[in-house]
């Protein structure tokens, strides 16, 4: 296994569970790839960026279970929003109404939207639900094109569609394939009651992967950190060996390359990455940035566990002190306690942060602090003890219209060499779920080639209510 991000780890743990001896080589000194945490020089541990999962991410949930990390991710049923004036709205599922109507009561009372906005949104959501999540004629168009086609108001686009999708997909609506945007709403908000639930780790991200090493070693495998691979050798259309940066050659029955899409072409023979070859189009996949801003205040300034912001550059604020406290209390999050004698640690997230990339750290901190005054007035008198900005310029691949044609599948026609990575052809956008899916698909392909087929891929959440009925109807009427 080359690469110890979520794709490599999910694949390695599944293969170890299937009884294989896995040797995992990771270039960096820690596991988790982009979804990890590390210690700053002053001793504080920070996530590379806050990562959240959703109830509909069934493969990631399965991976966390295998890694013994599922109890370290807490799910929240209520979503919190704040507008420019700091007014709060919430959204949660009603237990009384069947999907796709289960979010309707929250939506009706969602103060940030006008009646016209709500009517337009309801019409578009119904169109998605009635089509079983697959409206027709969306091939190659952007989400913004589809929203215009559905006659969405400006308020609906800015304060609803954009708010959900830019953070879910890390891209602006005009650069997002409509299929991805529609899928988010179908899988998270319309198809089933629990798809929208937000899962947030109650520990630093790296702590989620402690069980992976154990699972691999238990089966006689090994995990090597600071062990970058510089070359994948292929001979007669078959994987031969991986060459580590120190020159060691590592042979194996099967190799899974779970490295980022920009890295892989540099590791394989030219014949695989030149024009017309299986990896010839990978370099066309573009990336989008995410900026994380970490603030430590000298006192409590926020009570909610997290907040989604409308009409601001900042999109999410995570109350890390509270999210971690859930773990240390063992209280399951029931408590609203924030220890006012201690600092409070917040993490802000800005996806598709193209405008922030050229800005200085100071400018970004000032901008975010100004925005906090709108929604967390207690920050006015609080002292900002420490601040860190982490810009991930190539955070995720851009889900631009038509991007799927550049994404290779796990099997690229080289015997005993398979690919994993959120960027491979999983049907999902660049998410931890996409990475876990790719890892499971690669593990399935490897075992099938060894004559030991096994299934790891998890089904989506079962459809419920009217959504299930409509999806079945569409399936039976479409060719
Ligand atoms: C800032 C940010 C915020 C995000 N927020 C979310 C979120 O909230 N929810 C969500 O679902 N997703 C989120 N994502 C996306 C998520 O992190 C990725 O989709 C997922 O982690 C990708 O996993 P991967 O294993 O495919 O790739 P990576 O995590 O990139 O793993 C690849 C691994 O390969 C290693 N490697 C590279 N070259 C070599 C080599 N030559 N030899 C050996 N090893 C090598 C790398 O060091 C790395 O560990 C976010 C991403 C970023 C950057």
């Amino acid at each position: 296994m080359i690469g110890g991000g979520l794709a490599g780890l999910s694949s390695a743990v599944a293969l170890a569970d299937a009884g294989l001896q896995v040797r995992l080589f990771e270039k960096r000194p820690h596991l988790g790839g982009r979804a990890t945490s590390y210690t700053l020089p002053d001793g504080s541990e920070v996530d590379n960026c806050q990562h959240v999962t959703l109830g509909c991410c069934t493969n990631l949930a399965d991976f966390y279970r295998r890694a013994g990390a599922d109890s370290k991710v807490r799910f929240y049923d209520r979503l919190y929003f704040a507008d420019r004036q700091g007014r709060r709205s919430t959204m949660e599922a009603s237990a009384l109404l069947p999907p796709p109507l289960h979010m309707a009561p929250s939506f009706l009372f969602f103060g940030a939207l006008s009646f016209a906005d709500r009517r337009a949104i309801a019409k578009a959501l119904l169109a998605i639900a009635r089509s079983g999540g697959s409206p027709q004629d969306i091939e190659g168009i952007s989400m913004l094109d589809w929203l215009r086609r559905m006659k969405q108001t400006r308020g609906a686009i800015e304060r609803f569609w954009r708010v959900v999708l830019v953070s879910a997909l890390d891209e602006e609506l005009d650069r997002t394939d409509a299929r991805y945007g529609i899928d988010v709403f179908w899988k998270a908000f319309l198809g089933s009651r629990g798809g929208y639930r937000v899962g947030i780790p109650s520990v630093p991200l790296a702590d989620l992967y402690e069980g992976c090493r154990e699972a691999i070693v238990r089966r006689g495998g090994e995990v090597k950190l600071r062990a970058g691979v510089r070359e994948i050798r292929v001979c007669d259309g078959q994987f031969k060996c991986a060459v580590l940066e120190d020159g060691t050659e590592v042979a194996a029955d099967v190799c899974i390359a779970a490295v980022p899409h920009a890295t892989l072409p540099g590791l394989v023979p030219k014949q695989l990455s030149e024009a017309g070859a299986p990896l010839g189009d990978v370099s066309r996949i573009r990336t989008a940035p995410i900026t994380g801003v970490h603030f430590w205040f000298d006192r409590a300034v926020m009570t909610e566990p997290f907040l989604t912001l409308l009409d601001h550059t900042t999109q999410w604020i995570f109350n890390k002190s509270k999210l971690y406290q859930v773990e240390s209390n063992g209280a399951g999050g029931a408590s609203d306690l924030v220890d006012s004698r201690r600092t409070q640690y917040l993490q802000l997230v800005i996806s598709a942060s193209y405008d922030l990339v050229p800005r200085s750290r100071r400018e970004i901190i000032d901008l975010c602090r100004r925005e906090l005054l709108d929604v967390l007035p207690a920050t006015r008198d609080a002292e900002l003890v420490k601040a860190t900005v982490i810009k991930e310029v190539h955070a995720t691949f851009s889900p631009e219209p038509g991007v799927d044609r550049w994404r290779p599948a796990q099997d690229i026609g080289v015997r005993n060499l398979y690919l994993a990575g959120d960027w491979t052809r999983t049907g999902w956008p660049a998410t931890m779920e996409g990475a876990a899916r790719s890892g499971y698909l690669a593990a399935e392909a490897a075992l099938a080639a060894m004559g030991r087929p096994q299934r790891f891929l998890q089904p989506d959440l079962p459809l419920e209510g009217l959504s299930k009925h409509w999806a079945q109807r569409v399936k039976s009427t479409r060719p």
Side-chain angles (χ1 to χ4, degrees):
M1 188 70 57
I2 307 175
L6 272 166
L9 288 175
S10 57
S11 207
V13 171
L15 288 170
D17 284 352
L20 264 66
Q21 279 186 346
V22 181
R23 301 181 74 193
L24 186 149
F25 299 92
E26 164 56 49
K27 187 172 159 168
R28 295 199 225 163
H30 43 248
L31 295 174
R34 279 169 276 163
T36 197
S37 52
Y38 40 80
T39 309
L40 294 178
D42 69 2
S44 35
E45 188 157 13
V46 294
D47 288 346
N48 178 38
C49 184
Q50 177 69 57
H51 275 60
V52 304
T53 178
L54 294 176
C56 58
C57 297
T58 52
N59 287 276
L60 183 66
D62 185 71
F63 163 67
Y64 285 149
R65 260 192 306 276
R66 284 179 189 272
D70 45 340
S71 63
K72 297 176 182 170
V73 178
R74 176 167 190 246
F75 279 86
Y76 296 80
D77 293 331
R78 181 176 293 170
L79 314 182
Y80 306 84
F81 297 83
D83 68 9
R84 183 165 287 290
Q85 287 73 37
R87 282 183 305 234
R88 303 300 205 252
S89 307
T90 57
M91 272 214 182
E92 62 191 313
S94 144
L96 302 175
L97 293 170
L101 306 174
H102 58 298
M103 303 301 284
S106 275
F107 183 63
L108 280 177
F109 295 104
F110 194 71
L113 296 165
S114 72
F115 177 71
D117 298 337
R118 272 179 267 190
R119 193 175 53 184
I121 295 166
K123 197 178 126 214
L125 290 178
L126 205 60
I128 298 176
R130 290 180 72 98
S131 69
S134 315
Q136 289 183 305
D137 303 326
I138 58 166
E139 196 75 15
I141 68 167
S142 76
M143 190 63 192
L144 190 62
D145 290 338
W146 188 77
L147 293 174
R148 289 191 175 135
R149 189 189 284 175
M150 297 307 292
K151 306 214 172 352
Q152 296 301 290
T153 57
R154 204 183 137 85
I157 292 176
E158 286 304 314
R159 315 187 97 209
F160 181 73
W161 298 101
R162 191 171 179 277
V163 169
V164 175
L165 291 178
V166 171
S167 40
L169 297 174
D170 187 26
E171 191 51 286
E172 287 297 343
L173 299 177
D174 60 342
R175 283 190 284 225
T176 295
D177 194 309
R179 191 184 67 73
Y180 283 119
I182 287 166
D183 250 16
V184 169
F185 281 92
W186 173 242
K187 292 192 170 131
F189 292 100
L190 298 168
S192 61
R193 197 181 298 282
Y196 79 101
R197 299 173 69 226
V198 171
I200 307 182
S202 47
V203 294
L205 283 167
D207 293 5
L208 296 175
Y209 315 121
E210 280 162 2
C212 294
R213 180 195 296 270
E214 212 181 293
I216 293 167
V217 171
R218 204 171 39 229
R219 291 289 181 176
E222 68 172 333
V223 173
K224 290 203 123 189
L225 302 177
R226 294 191 176 88
V229 167
R230 71 164 191 233
E231 189 186 346
I232 296 172
R233 283 200 189 136
V234 172
C235 199
D236 299 329
Q238 178 165 337
F239 166 75
K240 186 164 175 265
C241 67
V243 184
L244 302 187
E245 271 157 10
D246 67 6
T248 312
E249 293 183 11
V250 182
D253 296 320
V254 167
C255 170
I256 296 179
V259 296
H261 75 274
T263 306
L264 185 63
L267 301 183
V268 295
K270 273 224 158 37
Q271 308 88 277
L272 289 175
S273 58
E274 64 196 7
L279 302 176
D281 289 324
V282 161
S283 60
R284 294 176 189 251
I285 300 175
R286 290 197 288 195
T287 55
I290 300 180
T291 300
V293 181
H294 301 247
F295 281 158
W296 287 261
F297 286 100
D298 67 342
R299 67 193 74 176
V301 292
M302 176 174 178
T303 52
E304 294 96 343
F306 54 88
L307 252 183
T308 305
L309 270 54
L310 309 175
D311 308 320
H312 288 87
T313 298
T314 307
Q315 293 151 357
W316 287 74
I317 307 173
F318 293 90
N319 182 345
K320 298 293 281 185
S321 301
K322 190 178 176 91
L323 294 166
Y324 287 164
Q325 211 170 38
V326 171
E327 175 72 4
S328 54
N329 282 348
S335 125
D336 252 353
L337 285 174
V338 175
D339 185 346
S340 55
R341 286 160 305 174
R342 288 182 18 211
T343 58
Q344 194 176 41
Y345 168 29
L346 307 183
Q347 214 234 281
L348 286 59
V349 180
I350 303 125
S351 296
S353 57
Y354 293 100
D355 292 347
L356 299 187
V357 171
R359 299 233 212 151
S360 70
R361 180 182 168 276
R362 186 73 259 161
E363 283 176 297
I364 295 171
I365 289 171
D366 289 347
L367 168 80
C368 291
R369 267 220 82 171
R370 276 197 305 278
E371 294 200 333
L372 285 188
L373 293 177
D374 295 340
V375 295
L376 299 176
T379 56
R380 188 177 303 278
D381 299 323
E383 186 193 337
L384 183 61
V385 180
K386 190 169 68 171
T388 296
V389 176
I390 302 178
K391 283 191 217 171
E392 279 274 358
V393 178
H394 303 289
T396 62
F397 77 79
S398 168
E400 61 181 321
V403 68
D404 279 358
R405 67 191 186 283
W406 316 129
R407 299 171 71 185
Q410 274 53 52
D411 184 347
I412 52 165
V414 174
R415 277 199 309 285
N416 303 335
L417 174 65
Y418 300 96
L419 307 186
D422 62 354
W423 56 277
T424 58
R425 198 181 302 155
T426 62
W428 273 68
T431 51
M432 297 186 287
E433 169 68 10
R437 276 178 183 249
S438 75
Y440 282 179
L441 287 169
E444 286 180 5
L447 283 178
M450 297 167 93
R452 303 168 53 173
Q454 194 168 326
R455 197 159 164 78
F456 301 113
L457 201 66
Q458 300 298 305
D460 287 339
L461 288 182
L463 296 174
E464 295 173 66
L466 288 168
S467 295
K468 179 177 176 181
H469 168 72
W470 285 329
Q472 283 168 344
R473 197 183 55 188
V474 168
K475 210 170 159 195
S476 67
T477 54
R478 284 197 197 157

